[in-house]
């Protein structure tokens, strides 16, 4: 059995914009990343995407290491993730955006798959969202 990993950190950034301006950018941007909205309302937070399931295939192995067992192209891990996004007004000109990635991971076992366990994100995807908002503004 796997132990649970620490929760993902909350990533945030301050923008010179009103919450509704940022909301409109996020509303149209997130589907471009392959997520659909589960909850989306500019008067209530957080905004929540639906979970997306993904899989990770083993890396290519150099030919001298290959064996029949290693040549399978089946995934050795899979995960599901979603984003929770909150926008708060700081003052009349500035807002802060908080982004959290909710991640669950399962590993291939000899009998199939392990149960999903809570994972943690390193922040790359959250940073991309925050940077895209900045670019759009």
């Amino acid at each position: 059995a796997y132990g649970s990993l620490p929760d993902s950190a909350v990533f945030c950034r301050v923008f010179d914009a009103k919450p509704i301006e940022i909301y409109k950018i996020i509303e149209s941007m997130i589907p471009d990343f392959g997520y659909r909205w589960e909850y989306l309302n500019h008067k209530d937070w957080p905004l929540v995407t639906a979970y997306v399931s993904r899989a990770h295939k083993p890396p290519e192995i150099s030919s001298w290491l290959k064996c029949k067992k290693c040549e399978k192209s089946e995934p050795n891990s899979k995960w599901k993730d979603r984003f929770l996004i909150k926008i708060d007004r700081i003052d009349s000109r500035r807002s802060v955006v908080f982004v959290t990635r909710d991640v669950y991971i399962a590993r291939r076992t000899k009998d199939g798959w392990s149960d999903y366990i809570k994972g943690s994100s390193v922040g790359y995807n959250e940073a991309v969202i925050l940077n895209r908002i900045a670019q759009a503004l």
Side-chain angles (χ1 to χ4, degrees):
Y2 295 94
S4 183
L5 297 171
D7 285 344
S8 297
V10 177
F11 293 84
C12 63
R13 187 167 174 182
V14 173
F15 296 99
D16 289 328
K18 294 179 181 177
I20 192 66
E21 295 173 69
I22 296 169
Y23 169 87
K24 289 177 182 178
I25 292 167
I26 293 170
E27 178 184 24
S28 64
M29 171 183 55
I30 291 296
D32 293 342
F33 295 137
Y35 294 84
R36 66 178 179 75
W37 289 109
E38 183 174 294
Y39 185 78
L40 182 67
N41 183 337
H42 76 278
K43 294 181 180 180
D44 193 20
W45 312 107
L47 309 175
V48 181
T49 67
Y51 280 103
V52 172
S53 295
R54 304 182 192 276
H56 179 59
K57 292 186 177 185
E60 290 295 320
I61 301 172
S62 61
S63 58
W64 64 276
L65 287 175
K66 282 189 180 178
C67 65
K68 293 291 180 197
K69 198 175 186 180
C70 302
E71 290 177 2
K72 292 181 181 178
S73 63
E74 297 174 355
N76 57 8
S77 63
K78 62 182 182 178
W79 67 95
K80 57 185 179 179
D81 66 335
R82 71 177 179 178
F83 290 99
L84 295 95
I85 304 170
K86 186 172 190 281
I87 307 168
D88 279 340
R89 176 184 299 273
I90 295 174
D91 56 33
S92 62
R93 298 179 325 231
R94 296 179 305 152
S95 302
V96 61
V97 177
F98 301 90
V99 181
T100 304
R101 185 171 168 229
D102 202 11
V103 183
Y104 290 88
I105 304 165
R107 303 268 184 222
R108 182 172 295 286
T109 67
K110 64 180 181 177
D111 301 322
W113 290 98
S114 70
D115 291 335
Y116 279 99
I117 61 163
K118 180 83 170 147
S120 64
S121 175
V122 296
Y124 173 77
N125 296 300
E126 297 89 327
V128 168
I129 290 171
L130 295 170
N131 287 336
R132 292 277 178 94
I133 294 167
Q135 291 170 356
L137 289 171

